[in-house]
Amino acid sequence: MKPGRLVGIVSYGGYIPIYRVKTSEIARIWGRDGEPLQTEEVAVAAMDEDCVTMAVEAARYALKRAKIDPKEIGAIYVGSESKPYAVKSSGTIVAEAIGASPNITAADFEFACKGGTEALQTCIGLIASGMIKYGLAIGVDTGQAAPSDELEYTVGCGGAAFLVGPKTDETIAYFEASTSYVTDTPDFWRRAERPYPSHARRFTGEPAYFRHVINATKNLMTELGYKPEDFDYVVFHQPNLKFPLRAGLMLGFTRKQLEPGLLIPSLGNAYAGSALLGLVAVLDVAKPGQRILLASYGSGSGSDAFSIVVQNSPYRGNPIPFVSHLLGRKKYIDYAQYVKHRGKIVF
Amino acid sequence: MRRVAVVGVGCTKVGELWDKSLKDLAVESATKALDDAGVERVDFVYVGNAYSQILQSQGNLGSFIVDSLGFNGTPSISIEAADSSGSLAFHEAYKAVKLGWANYVLVVGVEKMSDSTPEEVAKALMACEDQDYVAFTGITQAGLHALVLRLYMERFRIKHEDVAMFTVKAHKNALNNPYAQFKNPLSVEDVLKSPILADPLRLLEYTTIADGSAALILCPLEEAKKITDKPVVEVLGSASATDKFYLPERIDSLTFNATVEAAKKAFQEAKISIDKVDFIETHDNSTIMGVISIEDLGFAEKGRGTTFIVEEKIPINTMGGSKGRGHPIGATGVYQLVETVWQLRGEAGKNQVKDAKIGLTHTLTGIGNLAAVNILGCL
Amino acid sequence: MGMLSAPRYWREIKYRYRLIGSRCLKCGKIYFPRRLVCRVCGSKKLEEYKLSEKGKIETFTVIRRNPPLGYEKNVPYIVAVVRLEEGVNVLSQIVDCSPEEVKIGMPVELTFRKVREDGKEGIIEYGFKFRPTLE
């Protein structure tokens, strides 16, 4: 999908909560001491944080960098699978918190871990068509995992907001194209009113994650006529460490292209925030002229792939923290505090 | 304008009085006051109560209490100003007699808190603060006092031990008050080792849930001399003042202007100077507010309140104060006045202040956005 | 509907989310929370004014016992008087900080957090809190 007019990233902001729990601590509780783990530690939202508060923090960071009048934002879309209201759009609260309401459209997107990239595609469409001036696309999650489930070792919390608008000389980067690959594949899901997701174990691999990420990426590269070496950075959705690395290898990318966007070992899988935070980490360090491949993955299933070209480095006079800074800001909690934070203690 | 006397007093014990309802408490204290005065009917009943609408779902206490006393048709009003409810009920009663609107009036302060859980009480105690910007932060009333305590100790370099003396003295005096809630002497160490309510304020520095009722009968001074043989206690001055509602706007100076203004006006009306005061019944629902009140009333310089207490320059809270006698919020102002009358009449027993001629009472609402000062004398 | 009033919460949204108070058009005095009447000059003409998002802690406490209904899960929590850059004081919880770390004079910045929930069925109330400034 190529936009009729080029759309750029005006600014962006990432947010990661301060608390961390070491996965070795989780292993201690469930009798898996000493086993090798794919993550060192995962980010945990504070008791008074949720998707909405994290979305607001990310959005505020993006706006601080952008210095635009929030009232010029025409759309706010929040992608998440852990939004606090099943019915009441998180976007309404974010819009009010940044002073963008009321002449705005807002909605929440759900497609497991790719809600955020869909929000991005939708904003690109609205801007390219001239319907809005700026759009804010946010992907954010407080990952949920049932106690003792394997997911506990990888779920994290966090998200990112992207303020997009028409491409100008000042935009940080622009989108060349996006492709999506979506099928009905029940690999991982959460029934309405159930607190924790379920998954089909090893079925979540080849027919799910790999089939969709690889196809979306291949289709994108074909559409644009690109080869793996045309990209400087590759950011994939990170449900764990193995999948993005293997997908990268299968597509012909190198570890060097993948490393800067791999946050899972110290953040965990922030679900709808995962791929977008990886993109933020890459944009924090990318140089003008470099090209980024971004491919999210949402269970159920689908993948959104983007080709992004960097125009400007954002760190000139950057008033907001880098992802590396946010990752370095941490306080450890033990498993008891972790379950208290994640609401697993029934009051 | 007439001179006004207090001609009858009475009160219940203070404590967790499981067997007594709000009505039982009010009737008990009112009856004692009426008997003490030798009076059977009054022209008007003034009720002081802070939280009965919230904790007991019982409003309209004026009519409620008049009816429970069997006074058919007597007009009545219930006054709410949190901890100053009792003092302001007294003030209104005093005005009525002073201005000739009524001859005999009954003042009843009453509070029933122990039917409620600590969480319900904590929420009610915040009713006197801004709901949208103070209660909304989740701070408790104890927390507000703790903010002041920390700033005060930091600003004036005062040791917590010296502030804690307020509780020690309060409990010491309460030992000889048959109506007091607490009968256990405490040391500074006991106070500072008690659990933390809100850093750095300790449990034993702050008042707790209490039920109680106290009552007074007021009448014109000339009448009082005719109906009683007891020493006649006159109301010399009564005043109140408010201050900015939101604590952060007035915490910087650590001076609570509501107290300063109320005291100034009361002394002006009484036409006496502060050095004539023989004893003080001041507001100590926390140690630090007791200390600061001593300063704001004019008895000590700012930052020197603890020295005043440690050196016991003038007797303070002679029957235990809010901490020792107990703090049934809306009734406390009236308890202070009842205790002042005992002192002035020479009926204070072991805690009798020698040659007590003039006494001052002071209540502070919440963390200080309203204060009331009353001065009584037996000259 | 539980114990929290949706309309009452809704009225304060803008002011609590973005720290908006008042400025007197006549004498320039700045207030938080907002006011209808200027305390200094008595004017009833006040405009909305967005307070600065950074400040320092003037004094603080840690609530450990008997929190009000709705705040039990947060215990222990820090509440402080924060002096904003304009010299206006505001009462706020301090988050992302342990009771052992908080100090008078600590620089803090605005953050957006949940304040309380009306059980599992009712509304979620959001508002401002402050956290140690990310240097």
Side-chain angles (χ1 to χ4, degrees):
Chain A
M1 303 185 283
K2 284 196 189 126
R5 267 198 321 170
L6 285 177
V7 176
I9 297 173
V10 175
S11 87
Y12 62 87
Y15 179 77
I16 298 170
I18 198 172
Y19 295 104
R20 306 279 183 276
V21 64
K22 287 202 207 282
T23 45
S24 56
E25 165 70 1
I26 302 174
R28 175 177 77 84
I29 298 298
W30 298 111
R32 290 205 186 175
D33 294 55
E35 283 184 22
L37 299 161
Q38 293 191 39
T39 52
E40 284 239 5
E41 56 196 41
V42 294
V44 185
M47 288 216 52
D48 59 356
E49 293 187 290
D50 63 13
C51 289
V52 170
T53 66
M54 295 197 298
V56 169
E57 290 293 326
R60 283 181 174 175
Y61 278 148
L63 280 176
K64 271 207 182 73
R65 207 201 293 262
K67 298 194 196 351
I68 61 150
D69 181 354
K71 299 251 185 267
E72 291 187 291
I73 300 173
I76 295 185
Y77 295 120
V78 180
S80 175
E81 55 183 283
S82 56
K83 56 203 208 99
Y85 288 100
V87 176
K88 177 169 160 54
S89 166
S90 313
T92 60
I93 306 171
V94 176
E96 189 67 63
I98 61 171
S101 354
N103 299 318
I104 192 167
T105 179
D108 292 359
F109 281 50
E110 185 281 306
F111 198 133
C113 301
K114 83 170 184 82
T117 49
E118 286 170 11
L120 206 48
Q121 288 175 328
T122 311
C123 282
I124 292 169
L126 284 173
I127 290 161
S129 69
M131 284 174 80
I132 64 174
K133 184 170 181 192
Y134 295 113
L136 192 60
I138 305 174
V140 66
D141 254 307
T142 51
Q144 324 88 50
S148 84
D149 189 298
E150 292 160 41
L151 285 175
E152 269 200 321
Y153 298 93
T154 52
V155 295
C157 301
F162 285 83
L163 183 71
V164 289
K167 171 182 181 280
T168 65
D169 290 335
E170 276 78 45
T171 43
I172 290 170
Y174 69 92
F175 299 94
E176 288 186 303
S178 177
T179 62
S180 291
Y181 189 89
V182 169
T183 67
D184 180 358
T185 304
D187 61 319
F188 170 111
W189 61 91
R190 181 163 67 83
R191 295 287 298 279
E193 298 181 39
R194 301 310 300 155
Y196 304 115
S198 308
H199 53 95
R201 314 300 287 281
R202 289 186 57 82
F203 180 64
T204 61
E206 196 277 310
Y209 181 91
F210 291 97
R211 182 167 302 182
H212 295 76
V213 169
I214 288 171
N215 277 306
T217 306
K218 274 196 180 144
N219 290 348
L220 178 76
M221 295 202 294
T222 305
E223 185 178 340
L224 293 171
Y226 288 147
K227 297 191 279 300
E229 49 270 29
D230 290 320
F231 293 96
D232 298 283
Y233 299 97
V234 177
V235 180
F236 286 144
H237 171 59
Q238 303 148 51
N240 52 50
L241 190 58
K242 283 199 190 133
F243 279 19
L245 286 176
R246 196 178 331 140
L249 228 64
M250 287 164 76
L251 284 161
F253 296 112
T254 67
R255 188 147 181 153
K256 186 158 170 282
Q257 288 167 304
L258 287 152
E259 288 269 339
L262 272 179
L263 303 179
I264 181 145
S266 46
L267 168 67
N269 173 7
Y271 285 15
S274 171
L276 290 181
L277 269 170
L279 177 60
V280 169
V282 162
L283 286 172
D284 279 349
V285 299
K287 301 213 175 359
Q290 293 186 310
R291 181 176 284 110
I292 306 166
L293 173 78
L294 169 72
S296 63
Y297 173 71
S299 291
S301 291
S303 172
D304 303 327
F306 301 78
S307 177
I308 300 166
V309 176
V310 180
Q311 300 169 255
N312 293 295
S313 298
Y315 38 80
R316 266 195 299 273
N318 184 13
I320 70 168
F322 291 122
V323 163
S324 53
H325 195 165
L326 291 172
L327 281 173
R329 173 190 82 121
K330 49 186 171 176
K331 276 182 171 5
Y332 289 106
I333 56 177
D334 61 24
Y335 192 79
Q337 285 168 308
Y338 166 67
V339 296
K340 183 183 168 197
H341 278 221
R342 299 302 301 125
K344 301 187 202 191
I345 297 180
V346 179
F347 272 86
Chain B
M1 298 230 277
R2 311 188 285 189
R3 292 167 73 175
V4 183
V6 180
V7 84
V9 297
C11 67
T12 69
K13 277 201 166 76
V14 179
E16 287 171 310
L17 308 174
W18 309 109
D19 294 334
K20 299 191 181 178
S21 68
L22 185 140
K23 188 193 293 182
D24 294 332
L25 295 167
V27 170
E28 185 183 329
S29 71
T31 306
K32 283 179 179 170
L34 288 160
D35 288 347
D36 186 49
V39 158
E40 280 184 7
R41 288 296 293 257
V42 294
D43 302 320
F44 211 105
V45 175
Y46 291 86
V47 177
N49 170 268
Y51 299 120
S52 127
Q53 269 197 321
I54 298 174
L55 295 177
Q56 295 270 308
S57 296
Q58 183 65 64
N60 195 14
L61 285 185
S63 181
F64 184 68
I65 288 171
V66 162
D67 181 69
S68 61
L69 288 169
F71 295 161
N72 240 354
T74 303
S76 174
I77 187 173
S78 182
I79 286 156
E80 183 277 312
D83 313 64
S84 298
S85 306
S87 326
L88 291 187
F90 170 81
H91 180 78
E92 291 304 308
Y94 164 65
K95 268 189 342 199
V97 177
K98 181 170 178 164
L99 295 168
W101 279 99
N103 287 320
Y104 286 88
V105 294
L106 167 66
V107 179
V108 182
V110 62
E111 202 72 60
K112 179 74 189 164
M113 297 169 80
S114 63
D115 285 348
S116 311
T117 64
E119 290 73 34
E120 288 168 338
V121 171
K123 184 159 193 267
L125 290 179
M126 287 304 289
C128 58
E129 309 298 336
D130 187 300
Q131 289 303 297
D132 296 319
Y133 290 90
V134 174
F136 190 69
T137 66
I139 197 166
T140 55
Q141 190 61 232
L144 289 168
H145 290 251
L147 288 175
V148 173
L149 173 61
R150 169 168 274 120
L151 191 61
Y152 185 94
M153 291 196 295
E154 170 95 3
R155 171 88 52 86
F156 300 116
R157 306 245 157 274
I158 300 293
K159 293 197 305 233
H160 205 167
E161 284 79 357
D162 290 341
V163 177
M165 277 303 283
F166 219 103
T167 297
V168 175
K169 304 265 176 175
H171 274 239
K172 181 157 168 271
N173 288 344
L175 286 173
N176 295 324
N177 177 356
Y179 297 93
Q181 181 173 15
F182 292 107
K183 287 296 174 59
N184 54 324
L186 292 173
S187 67
V188 167
E189 209 193 332
D190 291 330
V191 176
L192 294 183
K193 279 198 158 58
S194 61
I196 295 182
L197 270 181
D199 295 35
L201 190 77
R202 300 269 166 179
L203 185 71
L204 288 177
E205 291 187 84
Y206 191 72
T207 52
T208 60
I209 291 177
D211 307 327
S213 179
L216 308 159
I217 306 288
L218 301 175
C219 71
L221 188 68
E222 299 312 311
E223 292 286 321
K225 291 178 181 162
K226 288 181 209 157
I227 67 167
T228 180
D229 295 325
K230 298 186 188 155
V232 170
V233 174
E234 185 179 358
V235 182
L236 301 177
S238 177
S240 67
T242 61
D243 196 353
K244 297 169 187 158
F245 206 70
Y246 184 61
L247 176 67
E249 279 185 296
R250 51 188 167 78
I251 195 175
D252 282 344
S253 65
L254 288 171
T255 295
F256 289 78
N257 287 311
T259 299
V260 174
E261 290 305 309
K264 199 158 78 173
K265 286 193 283 189
F267 278 115
Q268 257 169 15
E269 186 189 352
K271 295 193 184 52
I272 59 162
S273 57
I274 194 170
D275 56 295
K276 291 281 187 290
V277 175
D278 295 312
F279 61 97
I280 311 162
E281 299 297 332
T282 186
H283 190 84
D284 60 326
N285 71 332
S286 71
T287 47
I288 187 60
M289 289 320 294
V291 169
I292 289 177
S293 295
I294 297 293
E295 297 165 1
D296 294 339
L297 286 167
F299 292 100
E301 274 172 35
K302 187 50 56 186
R304 305 298 306 277
T306 48
T307 315
F308 188 93
I309 289 144
V310 169
E311 293 173 8
E312 285 195 79
K313 294 194 198 282
I314 304 177
I316 303 173
N317 295 358
T318 63
M319 302 308 279
S322 298
K323 183 64 193 77
R325 170 245 298 132
H327 186 35
I329 316 253
T332 294
V334 186
Y335 271 97
Q336 290 175 335
L337 291 157
V338 167
E339 290 156 5
T340 300
V341 169
W342 290 340
Q343 287 290 356
L344 295 172
R345 281 182 183 174
E347 292 172 1
K350 293 211 185 88
N351 288 355
Q352 182 65 51
V353 172
K354 215 157 160 300
D355 297 325
K357 290 201 171 43
I358 293 181
L360 178 147
T361 75
H362 162 250
T363 55
L364 198 64
T365 288
I367 197 63
N369 53 31
L370 185 150
V373 172
N374 295 302
I375 301 175
L376 305 187
C378 194
L379 302 162
Chain C
M1 273 284 266
M3 57 170 181
L4 298 177
S5 161
R8 187 168 180 181
Y9 168 71
W10 166 80
R11 272 199 299 275
E12 300 302 319
I13 278 178
K14 168 166 61 170
Y15 310 100
R16 283 194 189 136
Y17 284 13
R18 309 208 293 269
L19 215 60
I20 292 177
S22 302
R23 178 167 53 191
C24 178
L25 285 169
K26 193 162 157 212
C27 73
K29 180 108 175 112
I30 294 169
Y31 297 100
F32 187 86
R34 69 190 185 287
R35 292 186 63 83
L36 296 161
V37 181
C38 180
R39 197 187 281 119
V40 170
C41 71
S43 169
K44 290 186 187 60
K45 291 196 167 59
L46 293 101
E47 63 176 359
E48 280 182 5
Y49 177 85
K50 181 170 162 34
L51 280 292
S52 68
E53 299 184 355
K54 288 185 146 69
K56 286 193 156 73
I57 291 181
E58 288 276 291
T59 180
F60 65 91
T61 184
V62 182
I63 306 300
R64 294 189 190 270
R65 279 186 163 221
N66 302 336
L69 292 168
Y71 295 82
E72 308 88 343
K73 292 186 202 159
N74 302 313
V75 172
Y77 52 98
I78 303 165
V79 185
V81 174
V82 175
R83 186 179 203 76
L84 299 172
E85 285 168 349
E86 295 92 341
V88 171
N89 284 346
V90 72
L91 191 70
S92 170
Q93 279 190 28
I94 307 293
V95 294
D96 285 357
C97 178
S98 73
E100 292 70 44
E101 291 166 328
V102 62
K103 292 195 172 12
I104 290 181
M106 194 163 125
V108 290
E109 62 184 12
L110 182 73
T111 180
F112 182 85
R113 293 295 170 99
K114 271 198 299 201
V115 175
R116 62 188 163 183
E117 292 170 39
D118 190 358
K120 293 262 167 252
E121 306 286 325
I123 58 169
I124 301 169
E125 295 197 342
Y126 295 95
F128 66 86
K129 295 188 186 178
F130 279 78
R131 65 173 173 220
T133 303
L134 236 73
E135 295 301 347

